[in-house]
Amino acid sequence: MNKIETIHAQEILDSRGNPTVMVTVVLANGVTATSCVPSGASTGSREAVELRDGDPKRYGGKGVLKAVANVNDVLAPKLKGKSPCEQGAIDRLMCELDGTENKSKLGANAMLGVSMAVCRAAAQDTKTPLYAYIRHLHGGKSDAPYIIPAPMMNVLNGGAHATNNVDFQEFMLFPVGAPTFAEALRYGAETFHTLKKLLQKRGLVTSVGDEGGFAPNLATNDEAVEVIVEAIQTAGYQPRKDIGIALDPAASEFFEDGAYVFKKSDKSRKSPDEMVELFGKWIAKYPILSLEDGMGEEDKAGWIAVTKALGKKLQLVGDDNFVTNPKIFAEGIKNGIANAILIKLNQIGTVSETLETVALAQRSGYNAVVSHRSGETEDAFIADFVVGIGTGQIKTGSLCRSERIAKYNRLLAIERELGEKAVFGGKSFANK
Ligand code: PGA
Ligand code: ZN
């Protein structure tokens, strides 16, 4: 096995035009691998720290030169000469060098850039596709079929991702009834274009939010679901059977003093119980298969209540409350919160710790949905990652904007490459 010769980081821009970290690892034999780190907007409060310079003279304080320097001056000299195949040891060493609980010294953005680039370098050096190498790292059986994930496609944006009057953050198409990933993508794209026409017909704007979904002003949050159902039908698909709906209200963003305040729309307040009631009504009325962050991260009682009331009926995904952190997630499992977890590598900051969280979900009977961030790059690492861990679901944005499409296009290529050795993850969901 080859050794790491150099590691170099630089400041680049993400899809929102904000600085982020790119890391390139070069091995002694010349193998070169690069990774770019994403960045969230509606972040959980206990996420690992994304180190920003805070210098108002550069990028309004959002520069990442400190994180870049931490890679180049602190991490690179310590990792030179190590084998990129020692992912666990490298990630542990970075955590030790950082020495904090939340990666606030070196920055999760610095550490994740290195962790992903090392992983990719090892895959390249062993001439293994990245998804297969990640399966090996995760201890997956090498003869089992690969699962190509069912995509959750965020076609209507609100909340912190858009400047419209919709409170809930994400309204996603979830084409679980498609026979393959390629067909799921087609179902989604056709419905997305149909939705555009429907919005135009109503005189609504079709400019897009941060994740590429439309961001119209609507009378109510309900109207967002209704227009999506109409688009599914008009595009020639059966709601629920062909295409379900997945929601991420990102409720932490509008949880204030014990109540949910619909501040972008009608300014109404709802108690946690009223929110549970609202979701109960919605799942009876609409083809909703998955609900992420229906309750705020601080509302533990609300989370327990929504899991008791609806946990047998649909997938309840914890994002802001679990932050891909194995310790925090274990606590949530103990408390009977949710039945699925959102997996974002930059919430925890290394590939190894992310795999630890995924393994905990798998052992505990929780589903795991791999996710992009609202600030993304052209790096499609998560497409390989989700195939490697085999949890069968990904959310990576709308059907436009290349930082989103890069992940979908990579999944198309993986599905084609694997042929008979791949199964589509929507199948298990569609049968439920
Ligand atoms: P973020 O949003 O990347 O802005 O945090 C995504 C999400 O809440 O799932
Ligand atoms: Zn979320």
Side-chain angles (χ1 to χ4, degrees):
M1 171 50 64
N2 252 285
K3 305 280 184 229
I4 294 171
E5 180 69 27
T6 63
I7 299 181
H8 192 266
Q10 72 183 84
E11 187 180 58
I12 60 162
L13 292 185
D14 73 10
S15 57
R16 276 193 279 250
N18 292 325
T20 189
V21 178
M22 178 166 91
V23 176
T24 298
V25 168
V26 182
L27 306 185
N29 62 351
V31 162
T32 301
T34 294
S35 266
C36 308
V37 179
S39 171
S42 67
T43 47
S45 64
R46 292 185 289 174
E47 292 191 18
V49 171
E50 180 182 72
L51 196 63
R52 300 240 174 232
D53 299 339
D55 170 4
K57 289 200 280 305
R58 293 189 77 254
Y59 291 114
K62 290 188 173 165
V64 291
L65 294 182
K66 284 184 192 162
V68 163
N70 287 341
V71 174
N72 294 339
D73 305 337
V74 181
L75 295 173
K78 296 279 185 197
L79 299 180
K80 185 176 157 78
K82 300 228 175 294
S83 161
C85 284
E86 292 170 34
Q87 186 77 44
I90 288 174
D91 289 342
R92 267 194 305 280
L93 177 59
M94 287 199 288
C95 290
E96 275 165 36
L97 291 168
D98 173 77
T100 68
E101 190 62 30
N102 59 1
K103 302 187 172 65
S104 54
K105 186 169 167 218
L106 297 177
N109 42 354
M111 292 164 70
L112 182 64
V114 173
S115 189
M116 291 194 297
V118 162
C119 183
R120 191 170 258 149
Q124 275 174 227
D125 193 44
T126 51
K127 302 204 170 27
T128 314
L130 182 55
Y131 59 83
Y133 180 71
I134 288 169
R135 168 141 103 175
H136 155 77
L137 266 185
H138 194 46
K141 282 201 203 108
S142 57
D143 54 346
Y146 283 97
I147 301 171
I148 312 294
M152 292 176 175
M153 301 145 154
N154 183 11
V155 292
L156 207 145
N157 298 182
H161 292 172
T163 51
N164 59 358
N165 65 355
V166 176
D167 299 287
F168 291 1
Q169 182 177 282
E170 301 173 19
F171 297 82
M172 295 171 276
L173 302 172
F174 194 23
V176 293
T180 61
F181 176 80
E183 283 294 89
L185 196 62
R186 182 174 69 82
Y187 287 17
E190 290 172 4
T191 306
F192 174 69
H193 292 296
T194 306
L195 177 62
K196 182 171 187 175
K197 285 194 197 120
L198 289 178
L199 295 173
Q200 275 167 340
K201 243 204 296 203
R202 294 180 193 188
L204 296 167
V205 294
T206 52
S207 50
V208 296
D210 285 356
E211 297 188 350
F214 302 117
N217 278 323
L218 299 169
T220 58
N221 293 297
D222 300 55
E223 202 187 334
V225 189
E226 277 158 19
V227 71
I228 290 173
V229 172
E230 193 183 335
I232 293 170
Q233 286 167 329
T234 311
Y237 297 105
Q238 234 174 293
R240 189 180 297 270
K241 184 170 171 285
D242 297 324
I243 306 178
I245 289 178
L247 294 178
D248 178 8
S252 308
E253 293 291 313
F254 52 92
F255 186 64
E256 286 173 13
D257 304 325
Y260 294 90
V261 186
F262 286 14
K263 47 194 173 193
K264 293 184 83 184
S265 57
D266 62 5
K267 317 282 183 277
S268 64
R269 289 171 76 88
K270 288 202 184 339
S271 69
D273 284 348
E274 286 168 333
M275 283 295 277
V276 175
E277 209 177 299
L278 171 87
F279 292 131
K281 279 195 194 134
W282 273 29
I283 63 168
K285 200 159 147 203
Y286 305 124
I288 297 168
L289 302 178
S290 178
L291 172 66
E292 175 187 332
D293 282 0
M295 312 307 278
E297 62 163 290
E298 287 161 33
D299 186 11
K300 189 169 142 193
W303 258 112
I304 292 170
V306 78
T307 309
K308 276 208 180 109
L310 307 176
K312 295 242 158 18
K313 296 187 179 154
L314 84 166
Q315 176 170 273
L316 297 172
V317 188
D319 170 13
D320 286 353
N321 55 343
F322 295 155
V323 291
T324 315
N325 182 312
K327 283 193 201 127
I328 296 172
F329 179 37
E331 195 64 24
I333 296 171
K334 223 168 53 198
N335 290 324
I337 285 174
N339 55 29
I341 180 171
L342 203 74
I343 299 293
K344 292 167 165 167
L345 287 128
N346 82 324
Q347 282 183 329
I348 183 73
T350 63
V351 171
S352 305
E353 289 164 287
T354 310
L355 291 175
E356 197 187 317
T357 303
V358 171
L360 176 59
Q362 289 170 321
R363 279 202 305 279
S364 312
Y366 274 56
N367 289 345
V369 183
V370 172
S371 174
H372 65 162
R373 300 306 304 245
S374 51
E376 263 298 334
T377 72
E378 61 276 28
D379 192 338
F381 188 91
I382 57 168
D384 285 80
F385 189 82
V386 68
V387 175
I389 62 172
T391 59
Q393 298 182 62
I394 190 169
K395 77 163 191 178
T396 186
S398 181
L399 285 309
C400 71
R401 297 180 53 144
S402 284
E403 78 278 6
R404 316 291 150 190
I405 301 300
K407 283 66 164 176
Y408 294 133
N409 285 347
R410 174 66 187 145
L411 286 166
L412 284 176
I414 295 174
E415 185 173 62
R416 186 200 51 77
E417 181 175 304
L418 286 170
E420 301 274 285
K421 284 185 262 166
V423 294
F424 176 54
K427 287 202 173 76
S428 62
F429 229 91
N431 297 335
K432 279 198 180 133

Short mmCIF file of all heavy atoms in Angstrom, two decimals, residues 16 38-44 47 154 160-161 169-170 172 210-211 248-250 253 292-293 319-320 342 344 346-347 371-376 395 404, ligand 1:
data_model
loop_
_atom_site.label_atom_id
_atom_site.label_comp_id
_atom_site.label_asym_id
_atom_site.label_seq_id
_atom_site.Cartn_x
_atom_site.Cartn_y
_atom_site.Cartn_z
N ARG A 16 -23.88 28.41 -2.68
CA ARG A 16 -24.45 29.71 -2.29
C ARG A 16 -23.46 30.84 -2.46
O ARG A 16 -23.74 31.98 -2.14
CB ARG A 16 -24.91 29.66 -0.83
CG ARG A 16 -26.29 29.06 -0.63
CD ARG A 16 -26.79 29.34 0.78
NE ARG A 16 -26.24 28.42 1.72
CZ ARG A 16 -26.92 27.46 2.34
NH1 ARG A 16 -28.20 27.31 2.08
NH2 ARG A 16 -26.35 26.64 3.19
N PRO A 38 -19.42 20.30 2.26
CA PRO A 38 -20.65 21.09 2.14
C PRO A 38 -20.91 21.93 3.38
O PRO A 38 -20.15 21.85 4.36
CB PRO A 38 -21.73 20.01 1.99
CG PRO A 38 -21.21 18.88 2.82
CD PRO A 38 -19.70 18.93 2.72
N SER A 39 -22.00 22.71 3.37
CA SER A 39 -22.29 23.61 4.50
C SER A 39 -23.80 23.82 4.64
O SER A 39 -24.48 24.11 3.66
CB SER A 39 -21.60 24.95 4.23
OG SER A 39 -22.01 25.90 5.17
N GLY A 40 -24.32 23.69 5.86
CA GLY A 40 -25.76 23.82 6.09
C GLY A 40 -26.18 25.24 6.43
O GLY A 40 -25.35 26.09 6.78
N ALA A 41 -27.52 25.48 6.34
CA ALA A 41 -28.08 26.78 6.77
C ALA A 41 -28.97 26.59 7.99
O ALA A 41 -28.92 27.37 8.94
CB ALA A 41 -28.88 27.41 5.64
N SER A 42 -29.80 25.53 7.97
CA SER A 42 -30.66 25.28 9.14
C SER A 42 -29.99 24.18 9.96
O SER A 42 -30.41 23.04 9.99
CB SER A 42 -32.07 24.86 8.70
OG SER A 42 -32.07 23.61 8.07
N THR A 43 -28.93 24.58 10.64
CA THR A 43 -28.08 23.59 11.31
C THR A 43 -28.60 23.22 12.69
O THR A 43 -29.24 24.04 13.36
CB THR A 43 -26.65 24.17 11.46
OG1 THR A 43 -26.78 25.50 11.97
CG2 THR A 43 -25.94 24.24 10.15
N GLY A 44 -28.29 22.00 13.11
CA GLY A 44 -28.60 21.58 14.47
C GLY A 44 -27.59 22.24 15.42
O GLY A 44 -26.42 22.42 15.06
N GLU A 47 -24.20 20.29 16.14
CA GLU A 47 -23.33 19.82 15.05
C GLU A 47 -21.87 20.13 15.39
O GLU A 47 -21.58 21.10 16.11
CB GLU A 47 -23.67 20.54 13.73
CG GLU A 47 -25.02 20.16 13.18
CD GLU A 47 -25.26 20.65 11.75
OE1 GLU A 47 -24.30 21.00 11.05
OE2 GLU A 47 -26.43 20.67 11.34
N ASN A 154 -36.23 17.46 -3.48
CA ASN A 154 -36.84 18.63 -2.85
C ASN A 154 -37.29 19.66 -3.91
O ASN A 154 -36.54 20.54 -4.28
CB ASN A 154 -35.80 19.24 -1.91
CG ASN A 154 -36.33 20.42 -1.14
OD1 ASN A 154 -37.52 20.68 -1.16
ND2 ASN A 154 -35.43 21.12 -0.48
N ALA A 160 -35.86 28.28 5.92
CA ALA A 160 -34.59 29.02 5.85
C ALA A 160 -33.93 28.93 4.48
O ALA A 160 -32.89 29.55 4.25
CB ALA A 160 -33.63 28.47 6.92
N HIS A 161 -34.51 28.15 3.56
CA HIS A 161 -33.89 27.96 2.24
C HIS A 161 -34.51 28.84 1.16
O HIS A 161 -34.16 28.71 -0.01
CB HIS A 161 -34.00 26.49 1.81
CG HIS A 161 -33.16 25.57 2.66
ND1 HIS A 161 -33.23 24.20 2.55
CD2 HIS A 161 -32.24 25.84 3.61
CE1 HIS A 161 -32.39 23.66 3.41
NE2 HIS A 161 -31.77 24.63 4.07
N GLN A 169 -39.68 23.73 5.40
CA GLN A 169 -38.47 23.92 4.59
C GLN A 169 -38.43 23.10 3.28
O GLN A 169 -38.02 23.60 2.25
CB GLN A 169 -37.26 23.56 5.45
CG GLN A 169 -35.91 23.73 4.80
CD GLN A 169 -34.80 23.41 5.79
OE1 GLN A 169 -34.47 24.20 6.65
NE2 GLN A 169 -34.22 22.23 5.67
N GLU A 170 -38.85 21.83 3.37
CA GLU A 170 -38.65 20.96 2.20
C GLU A 170 -39.88 20.10 1.91
O GLU A 170 -40.39 19.41 2.80
CB GLU A 170 -37.44 20.04 2.43
CG GLU A 170 -36.18 20.83 2.68
CD GLU A 170 -34.99 19.95 3.07
OE1 GLU A 170 -35.01 18.73 2.82
OE2 GLU A 170 -34.05 20.50 3.66
N MET A 172 -40.68 17.12 -0.71
CA MET A 172 -39.88 16.27 -1.61
C MET A 172 -40.71 15.19 -2.31
O MET A 172 -41.61 14.60 -1.69
CB MET A 172 -38.77 15.59 -0.81
CG MET A 172 -37.77 16.58 -0.24
SD MET A 172 -36.59 15.85 0.93
CE MET A 172 -37.51 15.89 2.45
N ASP A 210 -32.53 27.46 -2.37
CA ASP A 210 -31.15 26.99 -2.23
C ASP A 210 -30.91 25.57 -2.74
O ASP A 210 -29.81 25.23 -3.15
CB ASP A 210 -30.74 27.03 -0.75
CG ASP A 210 -30.47 28.45 -0.30
OD1 ASP A 210 -30.54 29.36 -1.14
OD2 ASP A 210 -30.18 28.63 0.90
N GLU A 211 -31.94 24.72 -2.66
CA GLU A 211 -31.73 23.33 -3.08
C GLU A 211 -32.36 23.06 -4.44
O GLU A 211 -32.56 21.91 -4.83
CB GLU A 211 -32.26 22.38 -2.01
CG GLU A 211 -31.50 22.55 -0.70
CD GLU A 211 -31.83 21.50 0.36
OE1 GLU A 211 -32.79 20.73 0.18
OE2 GLU A 211 -31.10 21.46 1.36
N ASP A 248 -39.65 17.79 5.11
CA ASP A 248 -38.75 18.22 6.18
C ASP A 248 -39.16 19.63 6.59
O ASP A 248 -38.67 20.61 6.02
CB ASP A 248 -37.29 18.19 5.73
CG ASP A 248 -36.35 18.69 6.83
OD1 ASP A 248 -36.83 18.89 7.97
OD2 ASP A 248 -35.15 18.88 6.56
N PRO A 249 -40.08 19.75 7.56
CA PRO A 249 -40.44 21.10 8.02
C PRO A 249 -39.26 21.84 8.64
O PRO A 249 -39.26 23.06 8.70
CB PRO A 249 -41.53 20.83 9.07
CG PRO A 249 -42.08 19.48 8.73
CD PRO A 249 -40.92 18.71 8.17
N ALA A 250 -38.23 21.10 9.11
CA ALA A 250 -37.11 21.71 9.85
C ALA A 250 -37.66 22.56 10.99
O ALA A 250 -37.37 23.76 11.11
CB ALA A 250 -36.20 22.52 8.92
N GLU A 253 -36.38 25.52 13.37
CA GLU A 253 -36.26 26.90 12.88
C GLU A 253 -37.41 27.78 13.33
O GLU A 253 -37.29 29.00 13.33
CB GLU A 253 -36.18 26.91 11.35
CG GLU A 253 -34.92 26.29 10.78
CD GLU A 253 -33.67 27.12 11.07
OE1 GLU A 253 -33.70 28.33 10.86
OE2 GLU A 253 -32.67 26.51 11.51
N GLU A 292 -39.37 14.38 8.29
CA GLU A 292 -38.11 14.68 8.98
C GLU A 292 -38.28 15.94 9.83
O GLU A 292 -38.93 16.90 9.37
CB GLU A 292 -37.03 14.89 7.90
CG GLU A 292 -35.68 15.33 8.43
CD GLU A 292 -34.75 15.68 7.26
OE1 GLU A 292 -34.92 15.13 6.15
OE2 GLU A 292 -33.87 16.53 7.45
N ASP A 293 -37.69 15.96 10.99
CA ASP A 293 -37.74 17.14 11.86
C ASP A 293 -39.12 17.80 11.89
O ASP A 293 -39.25 19.02 11.73
CB ASP A 293 -36.66 18.15 11.44
CG ASP A 293 -35.27 17.73 11.94
OD1 ASP A 293 -35.14 16.68 12.58
OD2 ASP A 293 -34.30 18.47 11.67
N ASP A 319 -33.00 14.74 12.31
CA ASP A 319 -31.85 15.42 11.70
C ASP A 319 -31.21 16.34 12.75
O ASP A 319 -30.22 15.98 13.39
CB ASP A 319 -32.33 16.20 10.46
CG ASP A 319 -31.28 17.15 9.89
OD1 ASP A 319 -30.10 17.04 10.27
OD2 ASP A 319 -31.63 18.02 9.06
N ASP A 320 -31.83 17.51 12.99
CA ASP A 320 -31.26 18.48 13.95
C ASP A 320 -31.09 17.90 15.35
O ASP A 320 -30.20 18.32 16.09
CB ASP A 320 -32.17 19.71 14.06
CG ASP A 320 -32.09 20.60 12.85
OD1 ASP A 320 -31.24 20.35 11.98
OD2 ASP A 320 -32.90 21.55 12.75
N LEU A 342 -31.21 11.05 9.76
CA LEU A 342 -30.58 11.67 8.60
C LEU A 342 -29.07 11.63 8.80
O LEU A 342 -28.59 11.89 9.90
CB LEU A 342 -31.05 13.12 8.45
CG LEU A 342 -30.91 13.67 7.03
CD1 LEU A 342 -31.99 13.07 6.13
CD2 LEU A 342 -31.00 15.18 6.98
N LYS A 344 -25.53 13.15 7.74
CA LYS A 344 -24.78 14.22 7.07
C LYS A 344 -23.36 14.16 7.60
O LYS A 344 -23.11 14.41 8.79
CB LYS A 344 -25.39 15.58 7.42
CG LYS A 344 -26.78 15.83 6.85
CD LYS A 344 -27.40 17.05 7.51
CE LYS A 344 -28.61 17.59 6.76
NZ LYS A 344 -29.37 18.57 7.59
N ASN A 346 -20.86 16.10 7.45
CA ASN A 346 -20.24 17.28 8.07
C ASN A 346 -20.87 17.65 9.40
O ASN A 346 -20.38 18.53 10.10
CB ASN A 346 -20.22 18.48 7.11
CG ASN A 346 -21.53 19.22 7.07
OD1 ASN A 346 -22.59 18.61 7.16
ND2 ASN A 346 -21.48 20.54 6.92
N GLN A 347 -21.96 16.96 9.78
CA GLN A 347 -22.49 17.21 11.13
C GLN A 347 -21.58 16.61 12.20
O GLN A 347 -21.56 17.07 13.33
CB GLN A 347 -23.88 16.58 11.28
CG GLN A 347 -24.99 17.38 10.64
CD GLN A 347 -26.36 16.76 10.87
OE1 GLN A 347 -26.49 15.55 10.97
NE2 GLN A 347 -27.38 17.59 10.94
N SER A 371 -27.77 12.45 3.32
CA SER A 371 -28.23 13.77 2.88
C SER A 371 -27.10 14.71 2.47
O SER A 371 -26.02 14.69 3.06
CB SER A 371 -29.01 14.42 4.04
OG SER A 371 -29.35 15.76 3.72
N HIS A 372 -27.40 15.53 1.50
CA HIS A 372 -26.57 16.68 1.14
C HIS A 372 -26.77 17.79 2.17
O HIS A 372 -27.51 17.62 3.14
CB HIS A 372 -27.00 17.19 -0.26
CG HIS A 372 -28.41 17.72 -0.27
ND1 HIS A 372 -28.90 18.55 -1.25
CD2 HIS A 372 -29.45 17.55 0.60
CE1 HIS A 372 -30.15 18.86 -0.99
NE2 HIS A 372 -30.52 18.26 0.10
N ARG A 373 -26.15 18.94 1.98
CA ARG A 373 -26.46 20.15 2.74
C ARG A 373 -27.01 21.18 1.77
O ARG A 373 -26.83 21.08 0.56
CB ARG A 373 -25.21 20.73 3.43
CG ARG A 373 -24.51 19.85 4.42
CD ARG A 373 -25.39 19.28 5.52
NE ARG A 373 -26.12 20.24 6.33
CZ ARG A 373 -25.94 20.44 7.64
NH1 ARG A 373 -25.01 19.78 8.28
NH2 ARG A 373 -26.71 21.28 8.31
N SER A 374 -27.62 22.23 2.32
CA SER A 374 -28.18 23.25 1.42
C SER A 374 -27.08 24.02 0.69
O SER A 374 -27.25 24.47 -0.44
CB SER A 374 -29.11 24.19 2.19
OG SER A 374 -28.46 24.70 3.33
N GLY A 375 -25.91 24.14 1.31
CA GLY A 375 -24.74 24.68 0.60
C GLY A 375 -23.93 23.48 0.13
O GLY A 375 -23.40 22.74 0.95
N GLU A 376 -23.84 23.28 -1.17
CA GLU A 376 -23.18 22.08 -1.70
C GLU A 376 -22.08 22.44 -2.68
O GLU A 376 -21.86 23.61 -2.99
CB GLU A 376 -24.21 21.19 -2.42
CG GLU A 376 -24.76 20.04 -1.56
CD GLU A 376 -23.70 19.03 -1.10
OE1 GLU A 376 -22.66 18.89 -1.79
OE2 GLU A 376 -23.89 18.39 -0.04
N LYS A 395 -31.35 11.99 0.19
CA LYS A 395 -32.00 13.24 -0.24
C LYS A 395 -30.89 14.17 -0.70
O LYS A 395 -29.93 14.43 0.03
CB LYS A 395 -32.90 13.84 0.85
CG LYS A 395 -32.25 14.54 1.98
CD LYS A 395 -33.28 15.43 2.72
CE LYS A 395 -32.60 16.35 3.68
NZ LYS A 395 -33.51 17.25 4.38
N ARG A 404 -26.63 19.57 -7.18
CA ARG A 404 -27.59 18.52 -6.79
C ARG A 404 -27.52 17.36 -7.79
O ARG A 404 -27.44 16.20 -7.44
CB ARG A 404 -29.04 19.05 -6.74
CG ARG A 404 -29.18 20.40 -6.07
CD ARG A 404 -28.94 20.40 -4.58
NE ARG A 404 -28.40 21.69 -4.16
CZ ARG A 404 -27.90 21.96 -2.96
NH1 ARG A 404 -27.88 21.02 -2.02
NH2 ARG A 404 -27.43 23.14 -2.67
P1 PGA B 1 -29.27 22.45 5.83
O1 PGA B 1 -30.70 21.85 5.53
O2 PGA B 1 -28.28 21.77 4.98
O3 PGA B 1 -29.47 23.90 5.51
O4 PGA B 1 -29.02 22.21 7.30
C1 PGA B 1 -30.92 20.51 5.25
C2 PGA B 1 -31.84 19.88 6.24
O5 PGA B 1 -32.35 20.52 7.19
O6 PGA B 1 -32.09 18.68 6.12
#
